[in-house]
């Protein structure tokens, strides 16, 4: 007899379950089924460049964990701000996310009419990895060391140019600090990412470029460019014999590139948790760690891989860079 009533009980329970699900806010139901379709990861710079490499490595690892493709979409322009503005206005459903670097912190000081607020228009997923930069010259640029480069630039004022990925790019930030440190202005040539900027350097169309190791290491190792130093305060494992710019005479010079993953403000907390879990699982994958290490990148400690770790870091970076940029007098509309 008891067994005979069981199907009715099951049906009653199922009906209760349906009623409970219907009573849930639609965000919570959506979060339950998340992700039900591919996710777009927006990358602010050109395909094949350093930010793109980190993005694609992470996206592939997150796809595995989420059971859905994470598709990289490069939305170029205005030093990364086109992408950030796009994601800030996207539906907060977890299907459009952004990977960005220091540009998220420098843009408020660089752009007087920035169409988003980095600290309040996004939900934070977590920090990913830090990457050193390298100061490079075209292969046939005569100077061989940083002191020689500085002397050469001083003797050839007005003749040399520096490529970057636009106002808001780390190549621009590094170039700005370099020019300030040596007290000479170079002509800036902006590209939509440092992939095309490096192509121009390799082709001898531009003279100097500061760029992440995630793109530059293979070209340095193949002796296709002149290397003048690394931008971190310590030498890096991937280039143990290369002095830092600080050692080369630019005392205290430091730019380290960090990456964070963001979603539009209002993304349900359960979706953020799912994205964060996938991101952290990806960073634990030995193949991902090996790939990033091979490119000179360093996965951040676990406390930074959290939404709060990214938010507090972004805030500290905005506070660090805003006065420096304002003092340098660099600004666009
Ligand atoms: N390295 C670039 C920058 O200067 C961006 C990129 O192309 O990844 O910000």
């Amino acid at each position: 007899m008891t067994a005979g009533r069981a199907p009715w009980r099951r049906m009653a329970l199922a009906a209760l379950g349906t009623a409970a699900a219907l009573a849930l806010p639609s965000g919570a139901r959506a979060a339950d089924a998340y992700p039900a379709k591919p996710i777009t990861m927006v990358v602010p710079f050109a395909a094949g460049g350093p930010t793109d490499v980190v993005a694609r490595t992470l996206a592939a690892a997150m796809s595995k964990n989420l059971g859905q493709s994470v598709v990289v979409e490069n939305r170029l322009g205005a030093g990364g701000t086109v992408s950030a503005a796009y994601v800030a206005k996207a539906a907060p459903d977890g299907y459009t996310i952004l990977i960005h670097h220091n540009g998220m912190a420098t843009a408020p000081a660089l752009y007087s009419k920035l169409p988003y607020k980095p600290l309040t228009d996004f939900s934070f997923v977590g920090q990913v990895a830090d990457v050193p930069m390298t100061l490079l010259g075209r292969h046939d640029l005569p100077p061989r060391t940083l002191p020689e480069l500085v002397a050469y630039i001083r003797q050839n004022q007005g003749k040399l140019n520096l490529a970057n990925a636009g106002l808001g790019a780390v190549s621009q930030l590094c170039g700005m600090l370099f020019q300030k440190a040596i007290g000479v202005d170079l002509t800036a040539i902006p590209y939509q990412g440092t992939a095309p900027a490096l192509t121009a350097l390799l082709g001898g169309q531009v003279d100097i470029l500061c760029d992440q190791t995630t793109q530059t290491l293979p070209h340095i190792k193949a002796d296709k460019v002149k290397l003048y130093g690394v931008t971190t305060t310590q030498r890096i494992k991937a280039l143990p014999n290369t002095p830092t710019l600080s050692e080369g005479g630019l005392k205290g010079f430091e730019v380290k590139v960090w990456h964070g993953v963001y979603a539009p403000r209002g993304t349900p907390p359960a979706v953020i948790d799912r994205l964060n879990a996938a991101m952290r699982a990806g960073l634990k994958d030995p193949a991902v760690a090996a790939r990033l290490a091979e490119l000179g990148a360093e996965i951040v400690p676990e406390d930074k891989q959290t939404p709060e770790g990214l938010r507090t870091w972004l805030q500290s970076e905005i506070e660090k860079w805003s006065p420096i940029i304002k003092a340098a007098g660099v600004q666009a509309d």
Side-chain angles (χ1 to χ4, degrees), residues 45-46 49-52 101 165 169-171 193-195 211-212:
F45 299 102
T51 312
D52 185 73
H101 61 27
V170 280
S171 44
T194 45
D211 199 19
Q212 288 105 298

Side-chain angles (χ1 to χ4, degrees), residues 150-174:
V150 174
Y152 185 80
I153 292 173
R154 291 200 172 121
Q155 284 151 19
N156 290 280
Q157 295 209 23
K159 292 191 193 141
L160 295 171
N161 59 43
L162 175 133
N164 67 34
L167 269 187
V170 280
S171 44
Q172 180 271 332
L173 179 69
C174 178

Side-chain angles (χ1 to χ4, degrees), residues 136-159:
L136 308 178
R138 62 179 151 78
H139 189 254
D140 56 352
L141 202 65
R144 282 158 305 149
T145 63
L146 180 62
E148 283 180 23
L149 175 69
V150 174
Y152 185 80
I153 292 173
R154 291 200 172 121
Q155 284 151 19
N156 290 280
Q157 295 209 23
K159 292 191 193 141

Side-chain angles (χ1 to χ4, degrees), residues 96-261:
T96 308
I97 58 175
L98 169 74
I99 185 164
H100 204 346
H101 61 27
N102 312 42
M104 201 67 163
T106 56
L110 289 168
Y111 288 86
S112 62
K113 293 181 191 133
L114 195 67
Y116 56 89
K117 292 195 178 64
L119 281 168
T120 51
D121 285 348
F122 296 89
S123 294
F124 301 92
V125 178
Q127 267 191 76
V128 181
D130 292 342
V131 182
M133 300 187 89
T134 47
L135 184 67
L136 308 178
R138 62 179 151 78
H139 189 254
D140 56 352
L141 202 65
R144 282 158 305 149
T145 63
L146 180 62
E148 283 180 23
L149 175 69
V150 174
Y152 185 80
I153 292 173
R154 291 200 172 121
Q155 284 151 19
N156 290 280
Q157 295 209 23
K159 292 191 193 141
L160 295 171
N161 59 43
L162 175 133
N164 67 34
L167 269 187
V170 280
S171 44
Q172 180 271 332
L173 179 69
C174 178
M176 180 192 86
L177 296 176
F178 176 65
Q179 292 169 78
K180 231 172 113 56
I182 66 171
V184 181
D185 285 341
L186 298 156
T187 307
I189 316 252
Y191 292 83
Q192 303 255 26
T194 45
L198 184 70
T199 304
L201 188 81
L202 294 169
Q205 288 111 33
V206 294
D207 302 310
I208 297 166
L209 171 68
C210 189
D211 199 19
Q212 288 105 298
T213 55
T214 25
Q215 167 163 256
T216 62
L217 273 180
H219 302 280
I220 291 167
K221 291 189 169 148
D223 193 25
K224 292 274 178 0
V225 287
K226 284 261 163 55
L227 171 62
Y228 297 115
V230 294
T231 64
T232 41
T233 50
Q234 307 291 323
R235 291 189 182 200
I236 62 169
K237 271 196 222 122
L239 295 168
N241 301 321
T242 303
T244 65
L245 296 186
S246 190
E247 278 177 82
L250 308 181
K251 291 280 165 267
F253 194 105
E254 186 187 11
V255 187
K256 198 190 221 179
V257 183
W258 53 271
H259 299 82
V261 175

